[in-house]
Coordinates of all heavy atoms in Angstrom, one line a residue:
M1 N -10.4 -36.2 32.9 CA -10.1 -36.5 31.5 C -9.9 -38.0 31.3 O -9.2 -38.6 32.1 CB -8.8 -35.7 31.1 CG -8.6 -35.6 29.6 SD -7.1 -34.8 29.0 CE -7.0 -33.3 29.9
G2 N -10.6 -38.5 30.4 CA -10.5 -40.0 30.2 C -9.3 -40.5 29.5 O -8.3 -39.7 29.4
L3 N -9.3 -41.7 29.2 CA -8.1 -42.4 28.6 C -7.7 -41.7 27.3 O -6.5 -41.6 27.0 CB -8.4 -43.9 28.4 CG -7.3 -44.7 27.9 CD1 -6.1 -44.8 28.9 CD2 -7.8 -46.1 27.6
L4 N -8.6 -41.3 26.5 CA -8.3 -40.7 25.2 C -8.0 -39.2 25.3 O -7.6 -38.6 24.3 CB -9.4 -40.9 24.2 CG -9.6 -42.3 23.7 CD1 -10.8 -42.4 22.8 CD2 -8.4 -42.8 23.0
G5 N -8.2 -38.6 26.4 CA -8.1 -37.1 26.6 C -6.7 -36.6 26.3 O -6.5 -35.6 25.7
Y6 N -5.7 -37.3 26.9 CA -4.3 -36.9 26.7 C -3.8 -37.0 25.3 O -3.2 -36.1 24.8 CB -3.4 -37.7 27.7 CG -3.7 -37.3 29.1 CD1 -4.3 -38.3 30.0 CD2 -3.4 -36.1 29.7 CE1 -4.6 -37.9 31.3 CE2 -3.7 -35.7 31.0 CZ -4.3 -36.7 31.8 OH -4.6 -36.4 33.1
P7 N -4.0 -38.1 24.6 CA -3.5 -38.2 23.2 C -4.3 -37.2 22.3 O -3.7 -36.6 21.4 CB -3.8 -39.6 22.8 CG -4.2 -40.4 23.9 CD -4.5 -39.5 25.1
V8 N -5.6 -37.0 22.6 CA -6.3 -36.0 21.8 C -5.8 -34.6 22.0 O -5.6 -33.8 21.1 CB -7.8 -36.1 22.1 CG1 -8.6 -34.9 21.5 CG2 -8.4 -37.4 21.5
T9 N -5.5 -34.3 23.3 CA -5.0 -32.9 23.6 C -3.6 -32.7 22.9 O -3.4 -31.7 22.3 CB -4.8 -32.8 25.1 OG1 -6.1 -33.0 25.7 CG2 -4.3 -31.4 25.4
I10 N -2.7 -33.7 23.0 CA -1.4 -33.6 22.4 C -1.6 -33.6 20.9 O -0.9 -32.8 20.2 CB -0.6 -34.8 22.8 CG1 -0.2 -34.7 24.3 CG2 0.7 -34.9 22.0 CD1 0.4 -36.0 24.9
G11 N -2.5 -34.4 20.3 CA -2.7 -34.4 18.8 C -3.2 -33.0 18.3 O -2.8 -32.5 17.3
E12 N -4.1 -32.4 19.1 CA -4.7 -31.1 18.6 C -3.6 -30.1 18.7 O -3.5 -29.2 17.9 CB -5.9 -30.8 19.5 CG -7.1 -31.6 19.1 CD -8.4 -31.1 19.8 OE1 -8.3 -30.1 20.6 OE2 -9.4 -31.7 19.6
F13 N -2.8 -30.1 19.8 CA -1.8 -29.0 20.0 C -0.7 -29.1 18.9 O -0.5 -28.2 18.2 CB -1.2 -29.1 21.4 CG -0.1 -28.1 21.6 CD1 -0.4 -26.7 21.8 CD2 1.2 -28.5 21.5 CE1 0.6 -25.8 21.9 CE2 2.2 -27.5 21.7 CZ 1.9 -26.2 21.9
F14 N -0.1 -30.3 18.8 CA 1.0 -30.4 17.9 C 0.5 -30.5 16.4 O 1.2 -30.1 15.5 CB 1.9 -31.6 18.2 CG 2.7 -31.4 19.4 CD1 2.4 -32.0 20.6 CD2 3.8 -30.5 19.4 CE1 3.2 -31.8 21.8 CE2 4.5 -30.3 20.5 CZ 4.2 -30.9 21.7
G15 N -0.7 -31.0 16.2 CA -1.3 -31.0 14.8 C -1.5 -29.5 14.4 O -1.1 -29.2 13.2
G16 N -2.1 -28.7 15.2 CA -2.2 -27.3 14.9 C -0.9 -26.6 14.7 O -0.7 -25.8 13.7
L17 N 0.1 -26.9 15.5 CA 1.4 -26.3 15.4 C 2.1 -26.7 14.1 O 2.7 -25.9 13.5 CB 2.2 -26.7 16.7 CG 3.5 -26.0 16.9 CD1 3.3 -24.5 17.1 CD2 4.3 -26.6 18.0
G18 N 1.9 -28.0 13.8 CA 2.5 -28.5 12.6 C 1.9 -27.8 11.3 O 2.6 -27.5 10.4
L19 N 0.6 -27.6 11.4 CA 0.0 -26.9 10.2 C 0.4 -25.4 10.1 O 0.6 -24.9 9.1 CB -1.5 -26.9 10.4 CG -2.2 -28.3 10.1 CD1 -3.6 -28.3 10.4 CD2 -1.9 -28.8 8.7
I20 N 0.6 -24.8 11.3 CA 1.0 -23.4 11.3 C 2.4 -23.2 10.7 O 2.7 -22.4 9.9 CB 1.0 -22.8 12.7 CG1 -0.5 -22.6 13.1 CG2 1.7 -21.4 12.8 CD1 -0.7 -22.3 14.6
V21 N 3.4 -24.0 11.2 CA 4.8 -23.9 10.7 C 5.1 -24.6 9.4 O 6.1 -24.4 8.8 CB 5.8 -24.3 11.8 CG1 5.6 -23.4 13.0 CG2 5.7 -25.8 12.1
G22 N 4.2 -25.5 9.0 CA 4.4 -26.2 7.7 C 5.3 -27.4 7.8 O 6.0 -27.7 6.9
F23 N 5.2 -28.1 9.0 CA 6.1 -29.3 9.2 C 5.2 -30.5 9.5 O 4.3 -30.4 10.4 CB 7.1 -29.1 10.3 CG 8.0 -30.2 10.5 CD1 8.9 -30.5 9.5 CD2 8.0 -31.0 11.7 CE1 9.8 -31.6 9.7 CE2 8.8 -32.0 11.9 CZ 9.8 -32.3 10.9
L24 N 5.3 -31.6 8.7 CA 4.5 -32.8 8.8 C 3.0 -32.4 8.6 O 2.1 -32.9 9.4 CB 4.7 -33.5 10.2 CG 6.1 -34.0 10.5 CD1 6.1 -34.6 11.9 CD2 6.4 -35.1 9.5
C25 N 2.7 -31.6 7.6 CA 1.4 -31.1 7.4 C 0.4 -32.2 7.1 O -0.7 -32.2 7.6 CB 1.4 -30.1 6.3 SG 2.1 -28.5 6.8
R26 N 0.8 -33.2 6.3 CA -0.2 -34.3 5.9 C -0.5 -35.1 7.1 O -1.6 -35.5 7.4 CB 0.4 -35.1 4.8 CG 0.4 -34.4 3.5 CD 1.0 -35.4 2.4 NE 1.3 -34.7 1.2 CZ 0.7 -34.9 0.0 NH1 -0.3 -35.7 -0.1 NH2 1.0 -34.2 -1.0
F27 N 0.6 -35.4 7.9 CA 0.3 -36.2 9.1 C -0.5 -35.5 10.1 O -1.4 -36.0 10.7 CB 1.7 -36.6 9.8 CG 1.6 -37.3 11.0 CD1 1.3 -38.7 11.0 CD2 1.8 -36.7 12.3 CE1 1.1 -39.4 12.2 CE2 1.6 -37.5 13.4 CZ 1.3 -38.8 13.4
S28 N -0.3 -34.2 10.3 CA -1.0 -33.3 11.2 C -2.5 -33.2 10.7 O -3.4 -33.3 11.5 CB -0.5 -31.9 11.3 OG 0.8 -31.9 11.8
A29 N -2.7 -33.1 9.4 CA -4.1 -33.0 8.9 C -4.8 -34.3 9.1 O -6.0 -34.3 9.5 CB -4.1 -32.6 7.4
A30 N -4.1 -35.4 8.9 CA -4.8 -36.7 9.1 C -5.1 -36.9 10.5 O -6.2 -37.4 10.9 CB -3.8 -37.8 8.6
A31 N -4.2 -36.6 11.4 CA -4.5 -36.7 12.9 C -5.7 -35.9 13.3 O -6.5 -36.3 14.1 CB -3.2 -36.4 13.7
L32 N -5.7 -34.7 12.8 CA -6.8 -33.8 13.2 C -8.2 -34.2 12.6 O -9.2 -34.1 13.2 CB -6.5 -32.3 12.8 CG -5.4 -31.7 13.6 CD1 -5.0 -30.3 13.0 CD2 -5.9 -31.5 15.0
I33 N -8.1 -34.8 11.4 CA -9.4 -35.4 10.8 C -9.9 -36.5 11.7 O -11.1 -36.6 12.0 CB -9.1 -35.8 9.4 CG1 -9.0 -34.5 8.5 CG2 -10.3 -36.7 8.9 CD1 -8.6 -34.8 7.0
V34 N -9.0 -37.4 12.1 CA -9.4 -38.5 12.9 C -10.0 -38.0 14.3 O -11.0 -38.5 14.8 CB -8.2 -39.5 13.2 CG1 -8.5 -40.5 14.3 CG2 -7.8 -40.2 11.9
I35 N -9.3 -37.0 14.8 CA -9.8 -36.4 16.1 C -11.2 -35.8 15.9 O -12.1 -36.0 16.7 CB -8.8 -35.4 16.6 CG1 -7.6 -36.1 17.2 CG2 -9.5 -34.5 17.8 CD1 -6.4 -35.1 17.5
M36 N -11.4 -35.1 14.8 CA -12.7 -34.5 14.5 C -13.8 -35.6 14.3 O -14.9 -35.4 14.7 CB -12.7 -33.5 13.4 CG -11.9 -32.3 13.6 SD -12.6 -31.3 15.0 CE -11.3 -31.5 16.2
L37 N -13.4 -36.7 13.6 CA -14.4 -37.8 13.4 C -14.8 -38.4 14.7 O -15.9 -38.7 15.0 CB -13.8 -38.8 12.4 CG -13.7 -38.4 11.0 CD1 -13.0 -39.4 10.2 CD2 -15.1 -38.1 10.4
G38 N -13.8 -38.5 15.6 CA -14.1 -39.1 16.9 C -14.9 -38.1 17.7 O -15.8 -38.6 18.5
A39 N -14.7 -36.8 17.6 CA -15.6 -35.8 18.3 C -17.0 -35.9 17.8 O -18.0 -35.8 18.6 CB -15.0 -34.4 18.1
I40 N -17.2 -36.1 16.5 CA -18.5 -36.2 15.9 C -19.2 -37.5 16.5 O -20.3 -37.5 16.9 CB -18.5 -36.2 14.4 CG1 -18.1 -34.8 13.9 CG2 -19.8 -36.6 13.8 CD1 -17.8 -34.7 12.4
G41 N -18.4 -38.6 16.4 CA -19.0 -39.8 16.8 C -19.3 -40.0 18.3 O -20.3 -40.5 18.7
L42 N -18.5 -39.4 19.1 CA -18.6 -39.6 20.6 C -19.4 -38.5 21.3 O -20.0 -38.7 22.3 CB -17.2 -39.7 21.2 CG -16.4 -40.9 20.8 CD1 -15.0 -40.8 21.4 CD2 -17.1 -42.2 21.3
V43 N -19.3 -37.2 20.7 CA -19.9 -36.1 21.5 C -21.0 -35.4 20.6 O -22.1 -35.3 21.1 CB -18.8 -35.1 21.9 CG1 -19.4 -33.9 22.6 CG2 -17.8 -35.8 22.7
H44 N -20.7 -34.9 19.5 CA -21.5 -33.9 18.8 C -22.6 -34.6 17.9 O -23.6 -33.9 17.6 CB -20.7 -33.0 17.9 CG -19.7 -32.2 18.7 ND1 -20.1 -31.2 19.6 CD2 -18.3 -32.3 18.8 CE1 -19.0 -30.7 20.2 NE2 -17.9 -31.3 19.7
G45 N -22.4 -35.8 17.4 CA -23.3 -36.4 16.5 C -24.7 -36.6 17.1 O -25.7 -36.4 16.3
Q46 N -24.9 -36.8 18.3 CA -26.2 -37.0 18.9 C -27.0 -35.7 19.1 O -28.2 -35.7 19.4 CB -26.0 -37.7 20.3 CG -25.2 -36.8 21.3 CD -24.8 -37.7 22.5 OE1 -25.1 -38.8 22.6 NE2 -24.1 -37.0 23.4
H47 N -26.4 -34.6 18.9 CA -27.0 -33.3 19.0 C -27.5 -32.6 17.7 O -27.9 -31.5 17.7 CB -26.1 -32.3 19.8 CG -25.8 -32.8 21.1 ND1 -26.7 -32.8 22.2 CD2 -24.6 -33.2 21.6 CE1 -26.1 -33.3 23.2 NE2 -24.8 -33.6 23.0
G48 N -27.3 -33.4 16.6 CA -27.8 -32.9 15.3 C -26.7 -32.1 14.6 O -25.5 -32.1 15.0
F49 N -27.0 -31.5 13.5 CA -26.1 -30.8 12.6 C -25.6 -29.5 13.1 O -24.4 -29.2 13.1 CB -26.6 -30.8 11.2 CG -25.7 -30.1 10.2 CD1 -24.6 -30.8 9.8 CD2 -25.9 -28.9 9.7 CE1 -23.7 -30.2 8.9 CE2 -25.1 -28.3 8.8 CZ -24.0 -29.0 8.4
F50 N -26.5 -28.6 13.4 CA -26.2 -27.2 13.6 C -25.5 -26.9 14.9 O -25.8 -27.6 16.0 CB -27.5 -26.3 13.5 CG -28.0 -26.3 12.1 CD1 -29.1 -27.0 11.8 CD2 -27.4 -25.6 11.1 CE1 -29.6 -27.0 10.5 CE2 -27.8 -25.6 9.8 CZ -29.0 -26.3 9.5
L51 N -24.6 -26.0 14.9 CA -23.7 -25.7 16.0 C -24.5 -25.2 17.3 O -24.4 -25.8 18.3 CB -22.7 -24.6 15.6 CG -21.6 -24.3 16.6 CD1 -20.8 -25.6 16.9 CD2 -20.6 -23.3 16.1
G52 N -25.2 -24.1 17.2 CA -25.9 -23.6 18.4 C -27.4 -23.4 18.1 O -27.7 -22.7 17.1
R53 N -28.2 -24.0 18.9 CA -29.6 -23.8 18.7 C -30.2 -22.8 19.7 O -31.3 -22.2 19.5 CB -30.3 -25.1 18.8 CG -30.0 -26.1 17.7 CD -30.8 -27.4 17.8 NE -30.4 -28.1 19.0 CZ -29.3 -29.0 19.0 NH1 -28.6 -29.1 17.9 NH2 -29.0 -29.6 20.1
S54 N -29.6 -22.6 20.8 CA -30.0 -21.6 21.8 C -28.9 -21.0 22.5 O -27.8 -21.5 22.5 CB -31.0 -22.3 22.8 OG -30.2 -23.1 23.7
P55 N -29.0 -19.8 23.1 CA -27.9 -19.1 23.8 C -27.4 -19.9 24.9 O -26.2 -19.7 25.4 CB -28.5 -17.8 24.3 CG -29.7 -17.6 23.5 CD -30.2 -19.0 23.1
T56 N -28.1 -20.9 25.5 CA -27.6 -21.7 26.6 C -26.8 -22.9 26.2 O -26.3 -23.6 27.1 CB -28.8 -22.1 27.5 OG1 -29.7 -22.9 26.7 CG2 -29.5 -20.9 28.1
D57 N -26.8 -23.2 24.9 CA -26.0 -24.3 24.4 C -24.5 -24.1 24.7 O -23.9 -23.1 24.4 CB -26.2 -24.6 22.9 CG -27.5 -25.3 22.6 OD1 -28.1 -25.8 23.6 OD2 -27.8 -25.3 21.4
T58 N -23.9 -25.2 25.3 CA -22.4 -25.1 25.4 C -21.8 -25.9 24.3 O -22.5 -26.5 23.5 CB -22.0 -25.8 26.8 OG1 -22.4 -27.2 26.7 CG2 -22.7 -25.1 27.9
L59 N -20.5 -25.9 24.2 CA -19.8 -26.5 23.1 C -20.1 -28.0 23.1 O -20.1 -28.7 22.1 CB -18.3 -26.2 23.1 CG -17.6 -26.5 21.8 CD1 -18.2 -25.7 20.7 CD2 -16.1 -26.1 22.0
A60 N -20.3 -28.6 24.3 CA -20.5 -30.0 24.5 C -21.9 -30.4 24.0 O -22.1 -31.6 23.7 CB -20.3 -30.5 25.9
T61 N -22.8 -29.5 23.9 CA -24.2 -29.9 23.5 C -24.4 -29.3 22.1 O -25.6 -29.3 21.7 CB -25.2 -29.3 24.5 OG1 -25.1 -27.9 24.5 CG2 -25.1 -29.9 25.8
A62 N -23.4 -28.9 21.4 CA -23.6 -28.3 20.1 C -23.5 -29.5 19.0 O -23.0 -30.5 19.3 CB -22.5 -27.3 19.8
G63 N -24.0 -29.2 17.8 CA -24.0 -30.1 16.7 C -22.6 -30.2 16.1 O -21.6 -29.6 16.6
F64 N -22.5 -31.0 15.0 CA -21.2 -31.3 14.4 C -20.9 -30.5 13.2 O -20.0 -30.8 12.4 CB -21.1 -32.8 14.1 CG -22.1 -33.3 13.1 CD1 -21.9 -33.3 11.7 CD2 -23.4 -33.8 13.5 CE1 -22.8 -33.8 10.8 CE2 -24.3 -34.2 12.6 CZ -24.0 -34.2 11.2
E65 N -21.6 -29.4 13.0 CA -21.4 -28.5 11.8 C -20.0 -28.0 11.8 O -19.3 -28.0 10.8 CB -22.4 -27.3 11.9 CG -22.1 -26.2 10.9 CD -23.0 -25.0 11.2 OE1 -23.6 -24.9 12.3 OE2 -23.1 -24.2 10.3
Y66 N -19.4 -27.5 12.9 CA -18.1 -26.9 13.0 C -17.0 -28.0 12.7 O -16.1 -27.8 12.0 CB -17.9 -26.3 14.3 CG -16.5 -25.6 14.5 CD1 -16.2 -24.5 13.8 CD2 -15.6 -26.2 15.4 CE1 -15.0 -23.9 13.9 CE2 -14.4 -25.6 15.5 CZ -14.0 -24.4 14.8 OH -12.8 -23.9 14.9
N67 N -17.2 -29.2 13.3 CA -16.3 -30.3 13.1 C -16.2 -30.7 11.7 O -15.1 -31.0 11.1 CB -16.7 -31.5 14.0 CG -16.7 -31.2 15.4 OD1 -17.8 -30.8 15.9 ND2 -15.7 -31.3 16.1
L68 N -17.4 -30.7 11.0 CA -17.4 -31.1 9.6 C -16.7 -30.0 8.7 O -16.0 -30.3 7.8 CB -18.9 -31.2 9.1 CG -19.1 -32.0 7.8 CD1 -18.5 -33.4 7.9 CD2 -20.6 -32.0 7.5
A69 N -16.9 -28.7 9.1 CA -16.2 -27.6 8.4 C -14.6 -27.8 8.6 O -13.9 -27.6 7.6 CB -16.6 -26.3 8.9
L70 N -14.2 -28.2 9.8 CA -12.7 -28.4 10.0 C -12.2 -29.5 9.1 O -11.1 -29.5 8.6 CB -12.4 -28.6 11.4 CG -12.6 -27.4 12.3 CD1 -12.4 -27.8 13.8 CD2 -11.7 -26.3 11.9
I71 N -13.0 -30.6 9.0 CA -12.6 -31.7 8.2 C -12.5 -31.3 6.7 O -11.6 -31.6 6.0 CB -13.6 -32.9 8.3 CG1 -13.5 -33.5 9.7 CG2 -13.4 -34.0 7.3 CD1 -14.5 -34.5 10.1
G72 N -13.5 -30.5 6.3 CA -13.4 -29.9 4.9 C -12.2 -29.0 4.7 O -11.7 -29.0 3.5
L73 N -11.8 -28.3 5.7 CA -10.6 -27.5 5.5 C -9.3 -28.3 5.6 O -8.3 -27.9 5.0 CB -10.5 -26.4 6.6 CG -11.6 -25.4 6.5 CD1 -11.6 -24.5 7.8 CD2 -11.4 -24.5 5.3
L74 N -9.3 -29.4 6.3 CA -8.1 -30.2 6.4 C -7.9 -31.2 5.2 O -6.8 -31.6 4.9 CB -8.1 -31.0 7.7 CG -8.0 -30.2 9.0 CD1 -8.4 -31.0 10.2 CD2 -6.6 -29.6 9.1
A75 N -9.0 -31.6 4.6 CA -8.9 -32.6 3.5 C -8.0 -32.1 2.3 O -7.2 -32.9 1.9 CB -10.3 -32.9 3.0
P76 N -8.1 -30.9 1.9 CA -7.2 -30.5 0.8 C -5.7 -30.5 1.2 O -4.8 -30.8 0.4 CB -7.6 -29.0 0.5 CG -9.0 -28.9 0.9 CD -9.1 -29.8 2.1
I77 N -5.4 -30.2 2.5 CA -4.0 -30.3 2.9 C -3.5 -31.8 2.9 O -2.4 -32.1 2.5 CB -3.8 -29.7 4.3 CG1 -4.2 -28.2 4.3 CG2 -2.4 -29.9 4.9 CD1 -4.3 -27.6 5.6
L78 N -4.4 -32.7 3.3 CA -4.1 -34.1 3.3 C -3.9 -34.6 1.9 O -2.9 -35.3 1.6 CB -5.2 -34.9 4.0 CG -5.0 -36.4 4.1 CD1 -3.8 -36.7 5.0 CD2 -6.3 -37.0 4.7
I79 N -4.7 -34.2 1.0 CA -4.7 -34.7 -0.4 C -3.6 -34.0 -1.2 O -2.8 -34.7 -1.8 CB -6.0 -34.5 -1.1 CG1 -7.1 -35.4 -0.4 CG2 -6.0 -34.8 -2.6 CD1 -8.5 -35.1 -0.8
A80 N -3.5 -32.7 -1.2 CA -2.6 -32.0 -2.1 C -1.3 -31.6 -1.4 O -0.3 -31.3 -2.2 CB -3.3 -30.7 -2.6
G81 N -1.2 -31.6 -0.1 CA 0.1 -31.3 0.5 C 0.1 -29.8 1.0 O -0.9 -29.1 0.8
P82 N 1.1 -29.4 1.6 CA 1.2 -28.1 2.3 C 1.4 -26.9 1.4 O 1.1 -25.8 1.8 CB 2.3 -28.3 3.3 CG 3.2 -29.3 2.7 CD 2.3 -30.2 1.9
G83 N 2.0 -27.1 0.3 CA 2.3 -25.9 -0.5 C 3.8 -25.6 -0.6 O 4.6 -26.3 0.1
R84 N 4.2 -24.7 -1.4 CA 5.6 -24.5 -1.7 C 6.4 -23.8 -0.6 O 7.6 -23.8 -0.6 CB 5.8 -23.9 -3.0 CG 5.5 -22.4 -3.1 CD 5.8 -21.9 -4.4 NE 4.6 -21.2 -4.9 CZ 4.5 -20.6 -6.0 NH1 5.6 -20.5 -6.8 NH2 3.4 -20.1 -6.4
F85 N 5.7 -23.1 0.3 CA 6.3 -22.3 1.3 C 6.4 -23.0 2.7 O 6.7 -22.4 3.7 CB 5.7 -20.9 1.5 CG 5.8 -20.1 0.2 CD1 4.7 -19.7 -0.5 CD2 7.0 -19.7 -0.3 CE1 4.8 -19.0 -1.7 CE2 7.2 -19.0 -1.5 CZ 6.0 -18.6 -2.1
A86 N 6.0 -24.2 2.8 CA 6.1 -25.0 4.0 C 7.5 -25.2 4.5 O 8.4 -25.4 3.6 CB 5.4 -26.3 3.9
I87 N 7.8 -25.2 5.7 CA 9.1 -25.4 6.3 C 9.6 -26.8 5.9 O 10.8 -26.9 5.6 CB 9.1 -25.3 7.8 CG1 9.1 -23.8 8.2 CG2 10.2 -26.0 8.5 CD1 9.1 -23.6 9.6
G88 N 8.8 -27.8 5.8 CA 9.2 -29.1 5.4 C 9.9 -29.2 4.0 O 10.7 -30.1 3.8
R89 N 9.6 -28.3 3.2 CA 10.3 -28.2 1.8 C 11.7 -27.7 1.9 O 12.5 -28.0 1.0 CB 9.5 -27.3 0.9 CG 8.1 -27.7 0.6 CD 8.0 -28.8 -0.4 NE 6.6 -29.3 -0.5 CZ 5.9 -29.3 -1.6 NH1 6.4 -28.7 -2.7 NH2 4.7 -29.8 -1.6
F90 N 12.0 -27.0 3.0 CA 13.4 -26.4 3.1 C 14.3 -27.2 4.0 O 15.5 -26.9 4.1 CB 13.3 -25.0 3.6 CG 12.4 -24.1 2.7 CD1 11.2 -23.6 3.1 CD2 12.9 -23.8 1.4 CE1 10.4 -22.8 2.3 CE2 12.1 -23.0 0.6 CZ 10.9 -22.5 1.0
L91 N 13.8 -28.2 4.7 CA 14.6 -29.0 5.6 C 15.2 -30.2 4.8 O 14.6 -30.6 3.8 CB 13.7 -29.6 6.7 CG 13.2 -28.5 7.7 CD1 12.3 -29.2 8.7 CD2 14.3 -27.8 8.3
P92 N 16.4 -30.7 5.2 CA 17.0 -31.8 4.5 C 16.3 -33.1 4.8 O 16.9 -34.0 5.5 CB 18.4 -31.7 5.0 CG 18.4 -31.1 6.3 CD 17.2 -30.2 6.3
L93 N 15.1 -33.3 4.3 CA 14.4 -34.5 4.5 C 14.7 -35.5 3.4 O 15.1 -35.1 2.3 CB 12.9 -34.2 4.5 CG 12.4 -33.3 5.6 CD1 10.9 -32.9 5.4 CD2 12.6 -33.9 7.0
P94 N 14.5 -36.8 3.6 CA 14.7 -37.8 2.5 C 13.8 -37.5 1.3 O 12.6 -37.2 1.5 CB 14.2 -39.1 3.2 CG 14.1 -38.9 4.6 CD 14.0 -37.4 4.9
K95 N 14.4 -37.5 0.2 CA 13.6 -37.2 -1.1 C 13.2 -38.5 -1.8 O 13.9 -39.5 -1.7 CB 14.5 -36.4 -2.0 CG 15.1 -35.1 -1.4 CD 14.1 -34.0 -1.5 CE 14.8 -32.7 -1.0 NZ 13.9 -31.7 -0.7
S96 N 12.1 -38.4 -2.5 CA 11.7 -39.6 -3.3 C 12.6 -39.7 -4.5 O 12.9 -38.7 -5.1 CB 10.2 -39.3 -3.7 OG 9.8 -40.3 -4.7
A97 N 12.9 -40.9 -4.9 CA 13.8 -41.1 -6.0 C 13.1 -40.8 -7.3 O 13.7 -40.4 -8.3 CB 14.3 -42.6 -6.1
Q98 N 11.7 -40.9 -7.4 CA 11.0 -40.7 -8.6 C 10.7 -39.2 -8.8 O 10.8 -38.7 -9.9 CB 9.7 -41.4 -8.5 CG 9.9 -42.9 -8.5 CD 8.6 -43.6 -8.3 OE1 7.6 -43.1 -7.8 NE2 8.6 -44.9 -8.6
T99 N 10.3 -38.5 -7.8 CA 9.9 -37.1 -8.0 C 10.9 -36.0 -7.5 O 10.8 -34.9 -7.9 CB 8.5 -36.8 -7.2 OG1 8.7 -37.0 -5.8 CG2 7.4 -37.7 -7.7
G100 N 11.8 -36.4 -6.6 CA 12.7 -35.5 -6.1 C 12.1 -34.6 -5.0 O 12.8 -33.8 -4.4
R101 N 10.9 -34.8 -4.7 CA 10.2 -34.1 -3.6 C 10.4 -34.9 -2.3 O 10.7 -36.1 -2.3 CB 8.7 -33.9 -3.9 CG 8.5 -33.0 -5.1 CD 7.1 -32.9 -5.4 NE 6.3 -32.5 -4.3 CZ 5.0 -32.6 -4.2 NH1 4.3 -33.1 -5.2 NH2 4.3 -32.2 -3.1
P102 N 10.1 -34.2 -1.1 CA 10.2 -35.0 0.1 C 9.2 -36.1 0.2 O 8.2 -36.1 -0.5 CB 9.9 -33.9 1.2 CG 10.1 -32.6 0.5 CD 9.9 -32.8 -0.9
V103 N 9.5 -37.1 1.0 CA 8.6 -38.2 1.2 C 7.3 -37.7 1.7 O 7.2 -36.8 2.5 CB 9.2 -39.2 2.3 CG1 8.3 -40.4 2.5 CG2 10.6 -39.7 1.8
V104 N 6.2 -38.2 1.1 CA 4.9 -37.7 1.2 C 4.5 -37.5 2.7 O 3.9 -36.5 3.1 CB 3.8 -38.5 0.5 CG1 2.4 -38.1 0.8 CG2 4.1 -38.5 -1.0
V105 N 4.8 -38.5 3.5 CA 4.4 -38.4 5.0 C 5.1 -37.3 5.7 O 4.6 -36.7 6.6 CB 4.7 -39.8 5.6 CG1 4.4 -39.7 7.1 CG2 3.9 -40.9 5.0
L106 N 6.3 -37.0 5.2 CA 7.1 -36.0 5.9 C 6.9 -34.6 5.4 O 7.5 -33.6 5.8 CB 8.6 -36.3 5.8 CG 9.1 -37.6 6.4 CD1 10.5 -37.9 6.1 CD2 8.8 -37.6 7.9
E107 N 6.0 -34.4 4.4 CA 5.7 -33.1 3.8 C 4.9 -32.3 4.8 O 4.0 -32.7 5.4 CB 4.9 -33.2 2.5 CG 5.8 -33.2 1.4 CD 5.0 -33.1 0.1 OE1 3.9 -33.7 -0.1 OE2 5.5 -32.4 -0.8

């Protein structure tokens, strides 16, 4: 595993966990989008768009279709926030003076 392997692994694990439980959702979505862009740029971009072209293709030789779909799923969470049932809404987090909602990064 290279120099970026450990932070990417930690980011994917805790980013997914944050999205599941609804804590730091915007930060988790942003981190996962950056990771997927890095995966497209470093690994999948050179193999074209489509995920699998033959039964012998491994994930490392697949295209970036799946990564782009994940970015499309994470973008609304980053822009609109996690929703009203996220754990972050029920924790005593610092509130914005203008809106009364939690600070955007901590949502």
Side-chain angles (χ1 to χ4, degrees):
M1 198 180 311
L3 182 64
L4 288 176
Y6 294 109
V8 166
T9 303
I10 291 168
E12 284 186 5
F13 177 77
F14 287 108
L17 191 64
L19 290 174
I20 289 170
V21 299
F23 183 66
L24 295 175
C25 286
R26 288 181 194 246
F27 179 76
S28 298
L32 290 171
I33 287 173
V34 168
I35 290 170
M36 289 301 112
L37 289 173
I40 290 171
L42 296 174
V43 179
H44 300 289
Q46 61 194 359
H47 299 290
F49 180 72
F50 291 105
L51 187 59
R53 290 183 295 275
S54 72
T56 60
D57 279 349
T58 63
L59 199 55
T61 61
F64 62 91
E65 171 188 16
Y66 181 68
N67 302 90
L68 197 61
L70 291 178
I71 291 171
L73 292 170
L74 291 167
I77 296 171
L78 179 64
I79 295 168
R84 73 176 126 178
F85 297 116
I87 280 182
R89 300 277 172 120
F90 301 111
L91 296 177
L93 298 173
K95 306 277 186 193
S96 171
Q98 296 173 341
T99 62
R101 293 178 53 197
V103 178
V104 171
V105 176
L106 298 176
E107 265 189 324

